[in-house]
């Protein structure tokens, strides 16, 4: 009987030692997992902030592009109107100059016209003055038209350049957002798995 008690006590001591060892192992495991969970929680918070920033930047890029598109449309429409007006004005002035030059510049201009009265004479001085004024107007029209065309070409070139740069930036940020979301998904899954495992360890220790 004494031998049986000794054997039983030895068995109990052995089991208690194993239990204590297991508890110690679990406690170490819990401490490591808790530290890891804290790290993952911190990393997850950082990733969520990165995702938020990227989403805000993408929204800002879309807004900027929409505003630039609107301005480009408006400036192009204004250019089309201005160009049409300048071309019409230039055409009218050149036509007037052609008529006046023919009238004041040579005999052949009005061959079909009836002969003027004897007292009639061409006011060549006044004609030259009018032609001079119209030539200045013609030059101004031509200059303004060339300026409008240059400004339109420059505006279109700048629009395309900025749009391409913004597109490249947008694509890079979309790629960055996808990567951040994928990492966040993986980190969330790992965080959940470790949390569940940690919970089971705590429950086991509480039951001891």
């Amino acid at each position: 009987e004494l031998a049986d008690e000794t054997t039983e006590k030895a068995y109990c001591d052995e089991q208690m030692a194993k239990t204590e060892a297991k508890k110690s192992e679990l406690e170490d495991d819990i401490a490591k997992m808790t530290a890891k969970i804290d790290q993952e929680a911190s990393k997850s918070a950082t990733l969520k902030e990165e995702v938020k920033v990227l989403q805000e930047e993408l929204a800002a890029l879309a807004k900027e592009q929409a505003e630039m598109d609107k301005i480009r449309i408006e400036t192009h429409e204004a250019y089309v109107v201005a160009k049409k007006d300048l071309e019409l004005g230039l055409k009218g002035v050149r036509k007037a100059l052609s008529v006046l030059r023919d009238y004041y510049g040579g005999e052949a201009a009005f061959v079909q016209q009836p002969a003027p009265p004897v007292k009639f004479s061409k006011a060549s001085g006044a004609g030259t003055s009018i032609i001079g004024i119209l030539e200045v107007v013609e030059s101004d029209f031509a200059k303004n038209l060339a300026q409008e065309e240059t400004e339109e070409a420059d505006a279109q070139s700048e629009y395309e350049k900025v749009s391409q740069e913004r597109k490249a930036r947008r694509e890079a940020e979309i790629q960055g957002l996808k990567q951040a979301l994928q990492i966040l998904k993986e980190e969330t899954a790992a965080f959940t798995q470790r949390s569940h495992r940690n919970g089971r360890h705590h429950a086991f220790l509480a039951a001891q």
Side-chain angles (χ1 to χ4, degrees):
E1 185 176 338
L2 183 59
D4 290 342
E5 288 179 0
T6 302
T7 301
E8 184 178 347
K9 184 176 182 304
Y11 175 76
C12 288
D13 289 344
E14 182 183 354
Q15 292 304 311
M16 286 183 66
K18 287 181 179 180
T19 300
E20 287 300 320
K22 181 65 175 176
K23 284 174 65 177
S24 178
E25 181 183 338
L26 288 175
E27 286 170 351
D28 288 343
D29 199 12
I30 287 171
K32 290 177 181 177
M33 281 194 294
T34 299
K36 189 68 176 175
I37 287 170
D38 290 343
Q39 290 176 0
E40 288 171 347
S42 176
K43 187 175 181 180
S44 178
T46 301
L47 283 169
K48 286 177 181 177
E49 184 61 28
E50 287 179 7
V51 167
K52 180 183 176 184
V53 170
L54 285 169
Q55 288 173 332
E56 289 173 350
E57 288 180 353
L58 284 169
L61 281 174
K63 183 180 178 182
E64 289 170 5
Q65 186 64 41
E67 289 174 351
M68 193 172 73
D69 291 345
K70 182 174 180 289
I71 292 170
R72 178 81 280 264
I73 290 170
E74 290 173 352
T75 55
H76 177 70
E77 289 175 348
Y79 158 74
V80 170
V81 172
K83 182 185 179 189
K84 182 178 179 181
D85 290 343
L86 287 168
E87 286 177 337
L88 285 172
L90 193 56
K91 182 178 179 181
V93 170
R94 284 174 175 168
K95 184 175 181 181
L97 279 170
S98 177
V99 171
L100 288 171
R101 284 168 180 155
D102 285 345
Y103 180 74
Y104 289 106
E107 298 284 335
F110 295 98
V111 174
Q112 304 299 325
Q113 298 296 323
V118 176
K119 292 182 179 181
F120 176 81
S121 63
K122 295 178 182 178
S124 59
T128 301
S129 177
I130 293 171
I131 288 173
I133 292 170
L134 287 178
E135 284 176 342
V136 172
V137 173
E138 178 192 26
S139 175
D140 287 343
F141 271 130
K143 180 181 177 181
N144 290 339
L145 179 58
Q147 183 176 347
E148 287 287 342
E149 291 173 339
T150 298
E151 289 176 357
E152 168 65 12
D154 290 345
Q156 181 63 25
S157 177
E158 181 66 15
Y159 169 78
E160 291 173 359
K161 177 186 174 184
V162 174
S163 293
Q164 283 298 114
E165 291 173 350
R166 192 169 284 142
K167 181 181 177 182
R169 183 180 166 192
R170 179 176 177 274
E171 289 174 352
E173 290 190 351
I174 287 175
Q175 187 61 31
L177 179 60
K178 287 179 179 178
Q179 291 175 352
L181 287 171
Q182 181 60 34
I183 294 171
L184 182 60
K185 180 180 177 181
E186 293 169 358
E187 289 293 330
T188 300
F191 176 84
T192 302
Q193 185 179 6
R194 285 194 177 89
S195 295
H196 287 166
R197 184 180 172 188
N198 219 17
R200 288 195 300 271
H201 286 358
H202 276 293
F204 178 84
L205 288 175
Q208 299 304 309

